[in-house]
Amino acid sequence: MSTKAKSLAAARKMKDRWRAKEWYRIIAPEMFNMSLLGETPADVPENLMGRTMEATVQDLTGDFSKMHIKLKFKVNDIRGLDAHTVFMGHDLTSDYIRRLTRRRRSKTDTTVDVTTKDGWELRVKPMAISEQRIQASQRTAVRNSMDTTLKKAASENTVGEFVKMIMGGDLGRMMASNSKQIVPLKRVEIRKSEVHRVGSMRDIAEVLKAMEEEEAERERQAAEAEQAAAKAAAQAEAEQASGEEDEEETVESEELSETELAEEAEEAEDTKE
């Protein structure tokens, strides 16, 4: 077989391999409202298991101010052509961290292992930025304060609630507030998180059913609100029409009274004559 024929056969084989693949939708976990992360091809579903994908918070929520937060997901379940994922951690972009750590500022880093209420084990890496340089004893006190705050917050919340507190900045504000008696902090951020052990999770089928029920309930409420608005509009229109009729009757009554008075006046004049 000639070289050209071999290359054509190889190209045809490669094309056939791509034709045999299916495109699967990558779905974010429940804590991110099962948003669409993207699509990926695979010839068999088993090849998707364990694949990782990254996305920013902006990609999922449309919030431009969160474009510096990168999320990491891993495929753990296949349902038809939907590949469902589990949250594996996050980190901040390097340029965002550089903007925070300017000259004459102190950056205090630490690493904290936490366990959430539903049994997820995460390694969280916060950083605290102060306006001026601080002493080593103050750094140690800030680290201890952040450690206590993170462990308490994790033990009182599920992983979904804990991750939302990270993304929304609530944890950073809590740590800054708890450390302000030690030293005033310009900013506190969770620069990185890693999932070390996945805890309890709701079954995907149960989650999908709950979401369908919530959607049906929202549609029912919207339909009821629309019906109520239509009823109120019809009632207002009827009241307006009734008011217009009353006004017309009043005008007609006044006109009749004026006519009667004119006739009586004419009769009185005729009588005088």
Side-chain angles (χ1 to χ4, degrees):
M1 184 182 290
S2 64
T3 305
K4 184 177 180 180
K6 288 181 179 179
S7 61
L8 288 173
R12 192 178 300 110
K13 185 177 180 181
M14 180 64 70
K15 191 174 182 180
D16 292 340
R17 284 181 59 191
W18 274 100
R19 282 181 178 176
K21 292 186 177 183
E22 294 276 5
W23 283 89
Y24 291 83
R25 291 162 20 104
I26 309 298
I27 308 297
E30 182 184 4
M31 68 179 75
F32 293 101
N33 299 321
M34 302 187 76
S35 303
L36 179 65
L37 295 173
E39 295 184 349
T40 186
D43 48 2
V44 291
E46 290 75 15
N47 290 343
L48 283 176
M49 296 298 292
R51 283 193 191 181
T52 59
M53 173 171 278
E54 288 187 353
T56 65
V57 175
Q58 181 193 0
D59 295 333
L60 298 180
T61 64
D63 187 353
F64 184 77
S65 64
K66 305 293 184 183
M67 63 182 298
H68 59 280
I69 305 176
K70 297 186 298 182
L71 307 169
K72 186 177 180 181
F73 304 96
K74 184 170 73 173
V75 176
N76 71 326
D77 191 17
I78 311 293
R79 299 290 174 113
L81 293 178
D82 289 340
H84 294 273
T85 58
V86 62
F87 176 74
M88 294 305 296
H90 91 287
D91 61 356
L92 303 181
T93 58
S94 56
D95 59 331
Y96 178 77
I97 295 176
R98 282 197 298 270
R99 285 200 302 270
L100 293 178
T101 55
R102 297 174 181 174
R103 287 186 177 183
R104 293 184 295 277
R105 288 184 179 179
S106 290
K107 182 164 76 80
T108 304
D109 293 298
T110 188
T111 300
V112 184
D113 291 329
V114 300
T115 303
T116 63
K117 188 168 66 174
D118 48 357
W120 287 58
E121 294 179 3
L122 296 90
R123 175 160 290 174
V124 184
K125 300 180 180 181
M127 65 174 186
I129 309 296
S130 60
E131 284 286 9
Q132 68 278 346
R133 297 190 179 279
I134 60 177
Q135 300 175 357
S137 59
Q138 291 175 315
R139 287 178 183 271
T140 302
V142 169
R143 289 190 182 99
N144 292 337
S145 175
M146 291 193 295
D147 184 286
T148 302
T149 302
L150 287 171
K151 287 180 177 178
K152 184 175 184 296
S155 64
E156 294 175 349
N157 294 278
T158 63
V159 66
E161 295 166 343
F162 187 72
V163 170
K164 287 179 180 177
M165 291 173 70
I166 294 176
M167 304 305 149
D170 296 332
L171 269 178
R173 287 188 287 271
M174 287 171 58
M175 288 186 287
S177 176
N178 293 339
S179 302
K180 66 182 179 182
Q181 295 180 351
I182 303 168
V183 62
L185 298 176
K186 175 70 174 178
R187 194 71 173 264
V188 179
E189 295 272 2
I190 308 294
R191 64 181 180 84
K192 190 172 185 178
S193 66
E194 302 168 348
V195 175
H196 282 194
R197 190 178 78 84
V198 176
S200 60
M201 295 173 57
R202 284 208 298 170
D203 184 69
I204 297 298
E206 181 184 347
V207 174
L208 292 174
K209 183 179 179 182
M211 292 182 68
E212 288 176 357
E213 291 175 352
E214 289 176 2
E215 182 65 24
E217 179 64 19
R218 283 195 295 268
E219 290 178 356
R220 185 186 65 78
Q221 292 177 355
E224 288 180 353
E226 187 176 350
Q227 290 176 359
K231 185 177 179 180
Q235 185 176 356
E237 186 177 349
E239 291 176 354
Q240 183 179 0
S242 176
E244 290 175 355
E245 289 178 358
D246 292 341
E247 288 179 1
E248 290 177 357
E249 290 177 357
T250 303
V251 170
E252 290 177 357
S253 177
E254 290 176 353
E255 290 177 351
L256 287 172
S257 298
E258 291 176 357
T259 304
E260 291 174 353
L261 288 172
E263 290 177 352
E264 289 177 358
E266 289 179 358
E267 289 178 357
E269 288 179 359
D270 292 341
T271 305
K272 287 179 181 180
E273 292 177 356

